[in-house]
Amino acid sequence: MKYLLVLGALNGALAVTLGAFGAHGLKNRVDAAMLDVWSTASQYHFYHALALLLVGLLARQAGAGAVTAGWILFAGTLVFSGSLYALVLSGQKWLGAITPLGGTALIVGWLWLAWSLWRAHA
């Protein structure tokens, strides 16, 4: 639980930092399409930082299943947003092929959380 709460807070700070970097530091370095990609990465990063905080709190009720869901969400965020950040910074388009793996992990994490909450309250 504690680790998810700390990761959530740190990821929130990182998402805001990277969002600001994209809005200000990349504005004159990449085209509008790549700025949109960066924006998507930072939005999902921030949403899932909040999700990690929520899961950290819910873990008291839902137990180990929620903790597992949190780690899956963290991994999904790392792969989804990380691959998009890397794509924009490097220009390597093949990194976009990795992004759906992160998106799939995010979906699995949310479903795992739902299942864990269902089982905890059954």
Side-chain angles (χ1 to χ4, degrees), residues 30-103:
V30 299
D31 64 24
M34 287 294 102
L35 283 177
D36 285 344
V37 170
W38 190 275
S39 179
T40 297
S42 63
Q43 286 176 354
Y44 274 76
H45 191 169
F46 191 71
Y47 298 151
H48 288 89
L50 293 175
L52 287 174
L53 291 171
L54 176 64
V55 172
L57 295 174
L58 289 173
R60 290 189 175 141
Q61 295 176 349
V67 173
T68 301
W71 286 110
I72 295 168
L73 288 171
F74 176 67
T77 302
L78 190 64
V79 174
F80 182 86
S81 293
S83 65
L84 292 177
Y85 292 139
L87 183 152
V88 172
L89 292 174
S90 71
Q92 298 295 312
K93 302 290 185 193
W94 65 268
L95 288 165
I98 297 170
T99 307
L101 298 174

Short mmCIF file of all heavy atoms in Angstrom, two decimals, residues 30-103:
data_model
loop_
_atom_site.label_atom_id
_atom_site.label_comp_id
_atom_site.label_asym_id
_atom_site.label_seq_id
_atom_site.Cartn_x
_atom_site.Cartn_y
_atom_site.Cartn_z
N VAL A 30 9.34 20.32 -31.83
CA VAL A 30 8.62 19.24 -32.52
C VAL A 30 7.35 19.82 -33.14
O VAL A 30 6.89 20.89 -32.74
CB VAL A 30 8.28 18.06 -31.57
CG1 VAL A 30 9.55 17.43 -31.01
CG2 VAL A 30 7.36 18.49 -30.45
N ASP A 31 6.79 19.09 -34.09
CA ASP A 31 5.58 19.58 -34.75
C ASP A 31 4.34 19.38 -33.87
O ASP A 31 4.40 18.73 -32.82
CB ASP A 31 5.41 18.94 -36.13
CG ASP A 31 5.20 17.44 -36.10
OD1 ASP A 31 4.73 16.91 -35.07
OD2 ASP A 31 5.49 16.78 -37.11
N ALA A 32 3.22 19.91 -34.33
CA ALA A 32 1.97 19.87 -33.56
C ALA A 32 1.51 18.44 -33.29
O ALA A 32 0.99 18.15 -32.20
CB ALA A 32 0.88 20.65 -34.28
N ALA A 33 1.70 17.55 -34.25
CA ALA A 33 1.29 16.16 -34.05
C ALA A 33 2.07 15.51 -32.91
O ALA A 33 1.50 14.79 -32.08
CB ALA A 33 1.47 15.36 -35.34
N MET A 34 3.37 15.78 -32.84
CA MET A 34 4.18 15.22 -31.77
C MET A 34 3.86 15.86 -30.42
O MET A 34 3.91 15.21 -29.39
CB MET A 34 5.67 15.35 -32.08
CG MET A 34 6.17 14.41 -33.17
SD MET A 34 6.10 12.66 -32.70
CE MET A 34 4.65 12.11 -33.56
N LEU A 35 3.49 17.14 -30.44
CA LEU A 35 3.04 17.78 -29.19
C LEU A 35 1.75 17.13 -28.69
O LEU A 35 1.57 16.96 -27.47
CB LEU A 35 2.83 19.28 -29.38
CG LEU A 35 4.09 20.14 -29.43
CD1 LEU A 35 3.72 21.60 -29.70
CD2 LEU A 35 4.89 20.02 -28.14
N ASP A 36 0.88 16.74 -29.62
CA ASP A 36 -0.34 16.03 -29.23
C ASP A 36 -0.01 14.66 -28.62
O ASP A 36 -0.64 14.24 -27.65
CB ASP A 36 -1.27 15.84 -30.42
CG ASP A 36 -2.00 17.12 -30.80
OD1 ASP A 36 -2.04 18.07 -29.99
OD2 ASP A 36 -2.54 17.16 -31.93
N VAL A 37 0.97 13.98 -29.19
CA VAL A 37 1.40 12.69 -28.65
C VAL A 37 1.92 12.89 -27.23
O VAL A 37 1.58 12.13 -26.31
CB VAL A 37 2.47 12.03 -29.55
CG1 VAL A 37 3.09 10.83 -28.88
CG2 VAL A 37 1.86 11.64 -30.90
N TRP A 38 2.75 13.91 -27.04
CA TRP A 38 3.30 14.21 -25.71
C TRP A 38 2.17 14.53 -24.72
O TRP A 38 2.19 14.06 -23.58
CB TRP A 38 4.28 15.38 -25.79
CG TRP A 38 5.05 15.58 -24.52
CD1 TRP A 38 4.65 16.30 -23.43
CD2 TRP A 38 6.33 15.06 -24.19
NE1 TRP A 38 5.61 16.26 -22.45
CE2 TRP A 38 6.65 15.50 -22.90
CE3 TRP A 38 7.24 14.26 -24.89
CZ2 TRP A 38 7.85 15.17 -22.27
CZ3 TRP A 38 8.43 13.92 -24.27
CH2 TRP A 38 8.73 14.38 -22.98
N SER A 39 1.20 15.29 -25.18
CA SER A 39 0.07 15.65 -24.33
C SER A 39 -0.71 14.41 -23.91
O SER A 39 -1.11 14.28 -22.75
CB SER A 39 -0.84 16.63 -25.07
OG SER A 39 -1.95 16.96 -24.29
N THR A 40 -0.93 13.49 -24.84
CA THR A 40 -1.61 12.24 -24.51
C THR A 40 -0.82 11.47 -23.46
O THR A 40 -1.40 10.97 -22.48
CB THR A 40 -1.81 11.38 -25.77
OG1 THR A 40 -2.65 12.10 -26.67
CG2 THR A 40 -2.43 10.03 -25.44
N ALA A 41 0.48 11.38 -23.64
CA ALA A 41 1.33 10.67 -22.68
C ALA A 41 1.22 11.29 -21.30
O ALA A 41 1.05 10.58 -20.30
CB ALA A 41 2.78 10.68 -23.16
N SER A 42 1.30 12.61 -21.22
CA SER A 42 1.28 13.25 -19.90
C SER A 42 -0.11 13.18 -19.27
O SER A 42 -0.23 13.05 -18.05
CB SER A 42 1.80 14.68 -19.96
OG SER A 42 1.00 15.49 -20.76
N GLN A 43 -1.17 13.22 -20.06
CA GLN A 43 -2.52 13.08 -19.51
C GLN A 43 -2.73 11.70 -18.91
O GLN A 43 -3.20 11.57 -17.77
CB GLN A 43 -3.57 13.35 -20.58
CG GLN A 43 -3.72 14.81 -20.93
CD GLN A 43 -4.69 15.02 -22.07
OE1 GLN A 43 -5.18 14.08 -22.70
NE2 GLN A 43 -4.97 16.29 -22.36
N TYR A 44 -2.39 10.67 -19.67
CA TYR A 44 -2.55 9.32 -19.14
C TYR A 44 -1.63 9.08 -17.96
O TYR A 44 -2.00 8.39 -17.01
CB TYR A 44 -2.31 8.27 -20.24
CG TYR A 44 -3.56 7.99 -21.04
CD1 TYR A 44 -4.02 8.89 -21.99
CD2 TYR A 44 -4.29 6.83 -20.83
CE1 TYR A 44 -5.17 8.65 -22.71
CE2 TYR A 44 -5.44 6.57 -21.55
CZ TYR A 44 -5.88 7.48 -22.49
OH TYR A 44 -7.02 7.23 -23.19
N HIS A 45 -0.46 9.66 -17.99
CA HIS A 45 0.48 9.55 -16.89
C HIS A 45 -0.16 10.13 -15.62
O HIS A 45 -0.14 9.51 -14.55
CB HIS A 45 1.76 10.30 -17.26
CG HIS A 45 2.91 10.07 -16.35
ND1 HIS A 45 4.17 10.48 -16.65
CD2 HIS A 45 3.02 9.52 -15.11
CE1 HIS A 45 4.99 10.17 -15.68
NE2 HIS A 45 4.30 9.60 -14.72
N PHE A 46 -0.74 11.32 -15.74
CA PHE A 46 -1.34 11.96 -14.58
C PHE A 46 -2.58 11.21 -14.10
O PHE A 46 -2.77 11.01 -12.90
CB PHE A 46 -1.67 13.43 -14.87
CG PHE A 46 -2.04 14.16 -13.62
CD1 PHE A 46 -1.08 14.47 -12.67
CD2 PHE A 46 -3.34 14.55 -13.38
CE1 PHE A 46 -1.42 15.13 -11.51
CE2 PHE A 46 -3.68 15.21 -12.23
CZ PHE A 46 -2.72 15.51 -11.28
N TYR A 47 -3.44 10.78 -15.02
CA TYR A 47 -4.63 10.03 -14.62
C TYR A 47 -4.23 8.80 -13.80
O TYR A 47 -4.87 8.48 -12.79
CB TYR A 47 -5.43 9.53 -15.83
CG TYR A 47 -6.00 10.59 -16.73
CD1 TYR A 47 -6.19 10.32 -18.08
CD2 TYR A 47 -6.35 11.86 -16.27
CE1 TYR A 47 -6.73 11.26 -18.94
CE2 TYR A 47 -6.88 12.81 -17.12
CZ TYR A 47 -7.06 12.51 -18.46
OH TYR A 47 -7.59 13.44 -19.31
N HIS A 48 -3.20 8.12 -14.25
CA HIS A 48 -2.82 6.88 -13.58
C HIS A 48 -1.96 7.12 -12.34
O HIS A 48 -1.87 6.25 -11.48
CB HIS A 48 -2.22 5.90 -14.59
CG HIS A 48 -3.31 5.37 -15.48
ND1 HIS A 48 -3.65 6.02 -16.64
CD2 HIS A 48 -4.16 4.34 -15.32
CE1 HIS A 48 -4.69 5.38 -17.18
NE2 HIS A 48 -5.01 4.36 -16.40
N ALA A 49 -1.39 8.31 -12.21
CA ALA A 49 -0.78 8.69 -10.93
C ALA A 49 -1.89 8.80 -9.89
O ALA A 49 -1.75 8.28 -8.76
CB ALA A 49 -0.03 10.01 -11.06
N LEU A 50 -2.99 9.43 -10.25
CA LEU A 50 -4.13 9.51 -9.34
C LEU A 50 -4.71 8.12 -9.05
O LEU A 50 -5.10 7.83 -7.92
CB LEU A 50 -5.21 10.42 -9.93
CG LEU A 50 -4.84 11.90 -10.06
CD1 LEU A 50 -5.95 12.67 -10.77
CD2 LEU A 50 -4.54 12.52 -8.71
N ALA A 51 -4.73 7.29 -10.08
CA ALA A 51 -5.23 5.92 -9.90
C ALA A 51 -4.37 5.16 -8.90
O ALA A 51 -4.90 4.42 -8.07
CB ALA A 51 -5.27 5.18 -11.23
N LEU A 52 -3.05 5.34 -8.95
CA LEU A 52 -2.18 4.66 -7.99
C LEU A 52 -2.48 5.11 -6.57
O LEU A 52 -2.46 4.29 -5.64
CB LEU A 52 -0.71 4.90 -8.32
CG LEU A 52 -0.17 4.17 -9.54
CD1 LEU A 52 1.26 4.62 -9.83
CD2 LEU A 52 -0.24 2.67 -9.35
N LEU A 53 -2.76 6.39 -6.39
CA LEU A 53 -3.14 6.88 -5.06
C LEU A 53 -4.44 6.22 -4.61
O LEU A 53 -4.55 5.76 -3.46
CB LEU A 53 -3.28 8.40 -5.07
CG LEU A 53 -2.00 9.19 -5.23
CD1 LEU A 53 -2.33 10.68 -5.44
CD2 LEU A 53 -1.07 9.01 -4.04
N LEU A 54 -5.41 6.16 -5.50
CA LEU A 54 -6.68 5.53 -5.18
C LEU A 54 -6.49 4.06 -4.84
O LEU A 54 -7.03 3.57 -3.84
CB LEU A 54 -7.64 5.67 -6.36
CG LEU A 54 -9.00 4.98 -6.22
CD1 LEU A 54 -9.80 5.60 -5.08
CD2 LEU A 54 -9.76 5.06 -7.52
N VAL A 55 -5.73 3.36 -5.65
CA VAL A 55 -5.51 1.93 -5.41
C VAL A 55 -4.77 1.72 -4.09
O VAL A 55 -5.08 0.79 -3.33
CB VAL A 55 -4.75 1.28 -6.59
CG1 VAL A 55 -4.35 -0.14 -6.27
CG2 VAL A 55 -5.62 1.32 -7.84
N GLY A 56 -3.81 2.59 -3.79
CA GLY A 56 -3.12 2.50 -2.51
C GLY A 56 -4.07 2.60 -1.34
O GLY A 56 -3.93 1.90 -0.33
N LEU A 57 -5.06 3.46 -1.46
CA LEU A 57 -6.07 3.60 -0.41
C LEU A 57 -7.04 2.42 -0.39
O LEU A 57 -7.42 1.93 0.68
CB LEU A 57 -6.83 4.91 -0.57
CG LEU A 57 -6.01 6.19 -0.40
CD1 LEU A 57 -6.85 7.42 -0.75
CD2 LEU A 57 -5.45 6.29 1.02
N LEU A 58 -7.43 1.96 -1.57
CA LEU A 58 -8.37 0.84 -1.66
C LEU A 58 -7.75 -0.49 -1.23
O LEU A 58 -8.47 -1.42 -0.89
CB LEU A 58 -8.91 0.71 -3.08
CG LEU A 58 -9.87 1.80 -3.53
CD1 LEU A 58 -10.19 1.62 -5.01
CD2 LEU A 58 -11.14 1.77 -2.70
N ALA A 59 -6.44 -0.57 -1.25
CA ALA A 59 -5.76 -1.82 -0.90
C ALA A 59 -6.09 -2.25 0.53
O ALA A 59 -6.05 -3.44 0.84
CB ALA A 59 -4.26 -1.68 -1.09
N ARG A 60 -6.44 -1.31 1.38
CA ARG A 60 -6.84 -1.68 2.75
C ARG A 60 -8.11 -2.51 2.75
O ARG A 60 -8.30 -3.36 3.61
CB ARG A 60 -7.02 -0.43 3.59
CG ARG A 60 -5.73 0.27 3.87
CD ARG A 60 -5.90 1.38 4.86
NE ARG A 60 -4.58 1.92 5.16
CZ ARG A 60 -4.35 3.20 5.34
NH1 ARG A 60 -5.33 4.07 5.29
NH2 ARG A 60 -3.14 3.62 5.59
N GLN A 61 -8.98 -2.23 1.80
CA GLN A 61 -10.24 -2.97 1.71
C GLN A 61 -10.12 -4.21 0.83
O GLN A 61 -10.69 -5.24 1.14
CB GLN A 61 -11.34 -2.08 1.14
CG GLN A 61 -11.71 -0.93 2.02
CD GLN A 61 -12.74 -0.05 1.35
OE1 GLN A 61 -13.03 -0.18 0.17
NE2 GLN A 61 -13.32 0.87 2.11
N ALA A 62 -9.43 -4.08 -0.27
CA ALA A 62 -9.41 -5.15 -1.27
C ALA A 62 -8.18 -6.04 -1.18
O ALA A 62 -8.08 -7.03 -1.89
CB ALA A 62 -9.52 -4.56 -2.67
N GLY A 63 -7.21 -5.69 -0.34
CA GLY A 63 -6.07 -6.55 -0.08
C GLY A 63 -5.09 -6.68 -1.23
O GLY A 63 -4.90 -5.77 -2.04
N ALA A 64 -4.49 -7.87 -1.29
CA ALA A 64 -3.40 -8.13 -2.22
C ALA A 64 -3.82 -7.98 -3.68
O ALA A 64 -3.01 -7.60 -4.53
CB ALA A 64 -2.83 -9.52 -1.99
N GLY A 65 -5.09 -8.25 -3.99
CA GLY A 65 -5.55 -8.11 -5.36
C GLY A 65 -5.45 -6.67 -5.84
O GLY A 65 -5.05 -6.41 -6.97
N ALA A 66 -5.79 -5.74 -4.98
CA ALA A 66 -5.68 -4.33 -5.34
C ALA A 66 -4.22 -3.92 -5.49
O ALA A 66 -3.88 -3.13 -6.37
CB ALA A 66 -6.37 -3.45 -4.29
N VAL A 67 -3.38 -4.46 -4.64
CA VAL A 67 -1.94 -4.15 -4.75
C VAL A 67 -1.41 -4.64 -6.10
O VAL A 67 -0.69 -3.92 -6.79
CB VAL A 67 -1.15 -4.76 -3.57
CG1 VAL A 67 0.34 -4.58 -3.78
CG2 VAL A 67 -1.60 -4.13 -2.25
N THR A 68 -1.80 -5.83 -6.49
CA THR A 68 -1.41 -6.36 -7.80
C THR A 68 -1.92 -5.46 -8.91
O THR A 68 -1.19 -5.14 -9.85
CB THR A 68 -1.92 -7.80 -7.98
OG1 THR A 68 -1.38 -8.62 -6.95
CG2 THR A 68 -1.55 -8.36 -9.34
N ALA A 69 -3.17 -5.03 -8.80
CA ALA A 69 -3.74 -4.12 -9.80
C ALA A 69 -2.92 -2.84 -9.88
O ALA A 69 -2.66 -2.32 -10.98
CB ALA A 69 -5.19 -3.80 -9.46
N GLY A 70 -2.49 -2.33 -8.74
CA GLY A 70 -1.68 -1.12 -8.72
C GLY A 70 -0.37 -1.29 -9.45
O GLY A 70 0.06 -0.41 -10.21
N TRP A 71 0.28 -2.42 -9.23
CA TRP A 71 1.56 -2.67 -9.92
C TRP A 71 1.36 -2.82 -11.41
O TRP A 71 2.19 -2.39 -12.22
CB TRP A 71 2.29 -3.86 -9.32
CG TRP A 71 2.88 -3.55 -7.99
CD1 TRP A 71 2.49 -4.01 -6.77
CD2 TRP A 71 3.99 -2.66 -7.74
NE1 TRP A 71 3.26 -3.45 -5.78
CE2 TRP A 71 4.19 -2.63 -6.34
CE3 TRP A 71 4.80 -1.88 -8.55
CZ2 TRP A 71 5.19 -1.85 -5.75
CZ3 TRP A 71 5.79 -1.10 -7.96
CH2 TRP A 71 5.98 -1.10 -6.57
N ILE A 72 0.24 -3.44 -11.80
CA ILE A 72 -0.07 -3.56 -13.23
C ILE A 72 -0.32 -2.18 -13.83
O ILE A 72 0.16 -1.87 -14.93
CB ILE A 72 -1.26 -4.51 -13.47
CG1 ILE A 72 -0.91 -5.94 -13.03
CG2 ILE A 72 -1.69 -4.50 -14.93
CD1 ILE A 72 -2.11 -6.88 -12.96
N LEU A 73 -1.06 -1.34 -13.12
CA LEU A 73 -1.30 0.03 -13.59
C LEU A 73 0.01 0.81 -13.70
O LEU A 73 0.20 1.57 -14.65
CB LEU A 73 -2.27 0.75 -12.65
CG LEU A 73 -3.73 0.30 -12.73
CD1 LEU A 73 -4.54 0.93 -11.59
CD2 LEU A 73 -4.34 0.64 -14.08
N PHE A 74 0.89 0.63 -12.74
CA PHE A 74 2.18 1.31 -12.79
C PHE A 74 2.98 0.86 -14.01
O PHE A 74 3.51 1.69 -14.75
CB PHE A 74 2.97 1.06 -11.51
CG PHE A 74 4.35 1.66 -11.54
CD1 PHE A 74 4.52 3.04 -11.56
CD2 PHE A 74 5.47 0.85 -11.55
CE1 PHE A 74 5.79 3.61 -11.60
CE2 PHE A 74 6.74 1.40 -11.59
CZ PHE A 74 6.90 2.79 -11.61
N ALA A 75 3.03 -0.45 -14.24
CA ALA A 75 3.75 -0.97 -15.41
C ALA A 75 3.12 -0.47 -16.70
O ALA A 75 3.82 -0.08 -17.64
CB ALA A 75 3.77 -2.50 -15.37
N GLY A 76 1.80 -0.46 -16.75
CA GLY A 76 1.12 0.02 -17.94
C GLY A 76 1.41 1.49 -18.22
O GLY A 76 1.62 1.89 -19.36
N THR A 77 1.44 2.29 -17.16
CA THR A 77 1.76 3.70 -17.31
C THR A 77 3.18 3.88 -17.82
O THR A 77 3.44 4.69 -18.71
CB THR A 77 1.59 4.44 -15.96
OG1 THR A 77 0.25 4.26 -15.51
CG2 THR A 77 1.90 5.92 -16.09
N LEU A 78 4.08 3.12 -17.24
CA LEU A 78 5.48 3.20 -17.65
C LEU A 78 5.63 2.87 -19.14
O LEU A 78 6.30 3.60 -19.88
CB LEU A 78 6.32 2.23 -16.80
CG LEU A 78 7.81 2.32 -16.90
CD1 LEU A 78 8.31 3.66 -16.39
CD2 LEU A 78 8.45 1.19 -16.09
N VAL A 79 4.98 1.82 -19.59
CA VAL A 79 5.11 1.41 -20.99
C VAL A 79 4.31 2.34 -21.90
O VAL A 79 4.83 2.77 -22.94
CB VAL A 79 4.66 -0.06 -21.18
CG1 VAL A 79 4.65 -0.46 -22.64
CG2 VAL A 79 5.58 -1.00 -20.37
N PHE A 80 3.07 2.66 -21.53
CA PHE A 80 2.24 3.50 -22.40
C PHE A 80 2.83 4.90 -22.52
O PHE A 80 3.22 5.33 -23.60
CB PHE A 80 0.80 3.57 -21.85
CG PHE A 80 -0.12 4.39 -22.71
CD1 PHE A 80 -0.77 3.81 -23.78
CD2 PHE A 80 -0.34 5.73 -22.46
CE1 PHE A 80 -1.62 4.55 -24.60
CE2 PHE A 80 -1.18 6.49 -23.26
CZ PHE A 80 -1.82 5.90 -24.33
N SER A 81 2.90 5.60 -21.41
CA SER A 81 3.40 6.98 -21.46
C SER A 81 4.88 7.02 -21.80
O SER A 81 5.32 7.88 -22.58
CB SER A 81 3.13 7.70 -20.13
OG SER A 81 1.74 7.86 -19.94
N GLY A 82 5.64 6.10 -21.25
CA GLY A 82 7.08 6.09 -21.51
C GLY A 82 7.41 5.91 -22.98
O GLY A 82 8.30 6.57 -23.52
N SER A 83 6.68 5.01 -23.65
CA SER A 83 6.95 4.80 -25.08
C SER A 83 6.57 6.04 -25.89
O SER A 83 7.25 6.37 -26.86
CB SER A 83 6.21 3.56 -25.59
OG SER A 83 4.81 3.73 -25.55
N LEU A 84 5.51 6.73 -25.49
CA LEU A 84 5.14 7.95 -26.20
C LEU A 84 6.14 9.07 -25.95
O LEU A 84 6.50 9.80 -26.89
CB LEU A 84 3.72 8.39 -25.81
CG LEU A 84 2.60 7.46 -26.28
CD1 LEU A 84 1.25 7.97 -25.77
CD2 LEU A 84 2.59 7.30 -27.78
N TYR A 85 6.58 9.23 -24.72
CA TYR A 85 7.61 10.23 -24.43
C TYR A 85 8.86 9.94 -25.26
O TYR A 85 9.44 10.84 -25.87
CB TYR A 85 7.99 10.23 -22.95
CG TYR A 85 6.94 10.72 -21.98
CD1 TYR A 85 6.74 10.06 -20.77
CD2 TYR A 85 6.15 11.84 -22.24
CE1 TYR A 85 5.81 10.51 -19.85
CE2 TYR A 85 5.21 12.29 -21.33
CZ TYR A 85 5.04 11.63 -20.14
OH TYR A 85 4.12 12.07 -19.22
N ALA A 86 9.26 8.68 -25.27
CA ALA A 86 10.47 8.29 -26.00
C ALA A 86 10.30 8.51 -27.50
O ALA A 86 11.24 8.94 -28.18
CB ALA A 86 10.83 6.83 -25.71
N LEU A 87 9.12 8.22 -28.03
CA LEU A 87 8.84 8.43 -29.45
C LEU A 87 9.03 9.90 -29.81
O LEU A 87 9.70 10.22 -30.80
CB LEU A 87 7.40 7.99 -29.76
CG LEU A 87 6.94 8.05 -31.20
CD1 LEU A 87 5.86 6.99 -31.43
CD2 LEU A 87 6.41 9.39 -31.59
N VAL A 88 8.46 10.79 -29.00
CA VAL A 88 8.57 12.22 -29.31
C VAL A 88 10.01 12.70 -29.20
O VAL A 88 10.50 13.43 -30.07
CB VAL A 88 7.65 13.05 -28.38
CG1 VAL A 88 7.90 14.55 -28.55
CG2 VAL A 88 6.19 12.72 -28.64
N LEU A 89 10.71 12.28 -28.16
CA LEU A 89 12.08 12.75 -27.95
C LEU A 89 13.07 12.18 -28.97
O LEU A 89 14.01 12.85 -29.36
CB LEU A 89 12.55 12.42 -26.54
CG LEU A 89 11.85 13.18 -25.41
CD1 LEU A 89 12.31 12.65 -24.06
CD2 LEU A 89 12.08 14.68 -25.53
N SER A 90 12.83 10.94 -29.39
CA SER A 90 13.79 10.29 -30.28
C SER A 90 13.40 10.35 -31.75
O SER A 90 14.26 10.21 -32.62
CB SER A 90 13.96 8.82 -29.88
OG SER A 90 12.79 8.08 -30.21
N GLY A 91 12.11 10.50 -32.02
CA GLY A 91 11.65 10.45 -33.41
C GLY A 91 11.57 9.04 -33.96
O GLY A 91 11.27 8.85 -35.13
N GLN A 92 11.83 8.04 -33.13
CA GLN A 92 11.79 6.64 -33.56
C GLN A 92 10.35 6.14 -33.58
O GLN A 92 9.78 5.82 -32.54
CB GLN A 92 12.64 5.77 -32.62
CG GLN A 92 14.10 6.14 -32.59
CD GLN A 92 14.76 5.88 -33.92
OE1 GLN A 92 14.61 4.83 -34.52
NE2 GLN A 92 15.51 6.88 -34.41
N LYS A 93 9.76 6.09 -34.75
CA LYS A 93 8.33 5.74 -34.89
C LYS A 93 8.01 4.32 -34.42
O LYS A 93 6.88 4.06 -34.01
CB LYS A 93 7.89 5.91 -36.35
CG LYS A 93 8.09 7.30 -36.90
CD LYS A 93 7.14 8.27 -36.27
CE LYS A 93 7.30 9.63 -36.95
NZ LYS A 93 6.64 10.68 -36.25
N TRP A 94 8.98 3.41 -34.45
CA TRP A 94 8.72 2.04 -34.04
C TRP A 94 8.31 1.96 -32.57
O TRP A 94 7.65 1.00 -32.16
CB TRP A 94 9.93 1.13 -34.30
CG TRP A 94 11.14 1.47 -33.48
CD1 TRP A 94 12.16 2.31 -33.83
CD2 TRP A 94 11.45 1.00 -32.17
NE1 TRP A 94 13.09 2.39 -32.83
CE2 TRP A 94 12.67 1.59 -31.79
CE3 TRP A 94 10.83 0.14 -31.29
CZ2 TRP A 94 13.27 1.36 -30.55
CZ3 TRP A 94 11.42 -0.10 -30.05
CH2 TRP A 94 12.63 0.50 -29.70
N LEU A 95 8.65 2.99 -31.78
CA LEU A 95 8.26 2.98 -30.37
C LEU A 95 6.75 3.02 -30.20
O LEU A 95 6.20 2.56 -29.19
CB LEU A 95 8.90 4.16 -29.63
CG LEU A 95 10.41 4.02 -29.41
CD1 LEU A 95 11.02 5.35 -29.02
CD2 LEU A 95 10.69 2.96 -28.36
N GLY A 96 6.05 3.56 -31.22
CA GLY A 96 4.59 3.57 -31.19
C GLY A 96 3.99 2.18 -31.16
O GLY A 96 2.87 1.99 -30.69
N ALA A 97 4.74 1.19 -31.63
CA ALA A 97 4.24 -0.19 -31.62
C ALA A 97 4.22 -0.78 -30.21
O ALA A 97 3.50 -1.75 -29.96
CB ALA A 97 5.11 -1.06 -32.53
N ILE A 98 4.97 -0.19 -29.30
CA ILE A 98 5.02 -0.67 -27.92
C ILE A 98 3.85 -0.11 -27.10
O ILE A 98 3.37 -0.74 -26.17
CB ILE A 98 6.37 -0.28 -27.28
CG1 ILE A 98 7.51 -0.96 -28.01
CG2 ILE A 98 6.40 -0.60 -25.79
CD1 ILE A 98 8.88 -0.47 -27.62
N THR A 99 3.39 1.06 -27.50
CA THR A 99 2.36 1.77 -26.73
C THR A 99 1.11 0.92 -26.45
O THR A 99 0.63 0.92 -25.32
CB THR A 99 1.98 3.08 -27.45
OG1 THR A 99 3.18 3.82 -27.70
CG2 THR A 99 1.03 3.91 -26.63
N PRO A 100 0.58 0.16 -27.42
CA PRO A 100 -0.61 -0.65 -27.13
C PRO A 100 -0.39 -1.70 -26.04
O PRO A 100 -1.34 -2.07 -25.35
CB PRO A 100 -0.93 -1.32 -28.47
CG PRO A 100 -0.34 -0.41 -29.49
CD PRO A 100 0.91 0.14 -28.86
N LEU A 101 0.84 -2.15 -25.87
CA LEU A 101 1.11 -3.08 -24.77
C LEU A 101 0.86 -2.40 -23.43
O LEU A 101 0.30 -3.00 -22.50
CB LEU A 101 2.54 -3.61 -24.85
CG LEU A 101 2.90 -4.40 -26.10
CD1 LEU A 101 4.39 -4.73 -26.12
CD2 LEU A 101 2.06 -5.65 -26.20
N GLY A 102 1.28 -1.16 -23.32
CA GLY A 102 1.03 -0.40 -22.11
C GLY A 102 -0.45 -0.14 -21.92
O GLY A 102 -0.97 -0.24 -20.79
N GLY A 103 -1.14 0.18 -23.01
CA GLY A 103 -2.59 0.39 -22.93
C GLY A 103 -3.32 -0.86 -22.49
O GLY A 103 -4.25 -0.81 -21.68
#
